[in-house]
Amino acid sequence: GNFRIAQADALISTGFRLEQLPDAASWLSTGVSLINEAVSRQLLPDGAHVERTPGYHGWMTSVFHRHWRLSRAHPELGLRIGTDQVAGMYDYYLASMRPNGSLSWIHDNHVLPPNREAPVRQLRQAFRAEAGLDDSLPPASAFFPDAGQALLRTNWNDDADFVTFDASLWGGAHT
């Protein structure tokens, strides 16, 4: 759940900030365990988050990117999130952006103001540079088989045609 990831994130950051306290090591350990569990359970092999909702996926991309970075700086923590996993998350996040820069309206995504595509592109490019990956854009159209979504566009320009197909099995409040 959403609250578990937020709590895990808080445990890790608080454990670092207050390392002088006797419980800080257990906060870090618990936070790492929860983040590792979330990565293994909530991140689909094609890079999409299990909720298949672009807005929520953006939050998880930010959280998992931070913890990927932390895993590189502090391997002794035991965080397990791979470079390919975060790269896939950025590819899905970028693919879910409409040509005007707002997020696709898949599931319970909120309508956000336009012109977000450039920042997502920049975030993706910065991650890829940090990870030592090439910064070329992915194909304009992509099928995410594990998410059950096809995010199709004619090109990466602002005037591109954009169509989404969602055949996911995700339900409940997220339809």
Side-chain angles (χ1 to χ4, degrees):
N2 306 355
F3 68 92
R4 286 179 60 131
I5 290 175
Q7 290 171 343
D9 200 23
L11 284 168
I12 291 170
S13 63
T14 302
F16 266 107
R17 287 185 183 112
L18 301 176
E19 65 182 333
Q20 70 278 9
L21 296 179
D23 291 336
S26 68
W27 298 337
L28 275 169
S29 175
T30 300
V32 166
S33 177
L34 290 170
I35 289 293
N36 286 341
E37 182 269 334
V39 169
S40 70
R41 189 174 52 85
Q42 295 187 19
L43 186 55
L44 300 174
D46 61 12
H49 184 269
V50 70
E51 287 198 21
R52 298 148 172 97
T53 303
Y56 183 75
H57 179 87
W59 174 32
M60 291 299 95
T61 302
S62 173
V63 170
F64 291 166
H65 181 177
R66 270 196 325 276
H67 291 292
W68 168 84
R69 184 179 288 137
L70 188 59
S71 75
R72 292 171 54 120
H74 295 279
E76 72 278 4
L77 290 175
L79 284 163
R80 295 186 307 270
I81 181 162
T83 301
D84 290 344
Q85 291 174 300
V86 179
M89 292 185 80
Y90 273 111
D91 286 351
Y92 176 83
Y93 194 24
L94 184 62
S96 67
M97 302 301 294
R98 295 168 25 171
N100 74 352
S102 63
L103 288 171
S104 174
W105 293 353
I106 298 173
H107 298 280
D108 69 344
N109 198 49
H110 301 287
V111 179
L112 298 172
N115 301 321
R116 287 190 44 155
E117 184 176 347
V120 172
R121 260 192 221 183
Q122 292 166 359
L123 290 170
R124 180 185 177 275
Q125 184 178 24
F127 165 76
R128 293 184 72 83
E130 182 181 4
L133 303 172
D134 74 83
D135 66 352
S136 60
L137 288 171
S141 292
F143 175 55
F144 295 87
D146 300 298
Q149 296 172 346
L151 304 168
L152 312 171
R153 67 175 66 230
T154 52
N155 56 53
W156 285 107
N157 297 334
D158 293 346
D159 62 351
D161 294 323
F162 181 71
V163 177
T164 62
F165 293 96
D166 180 19
S168 65
L169 299 176
W170 191 253
H174 299 284
T175 57

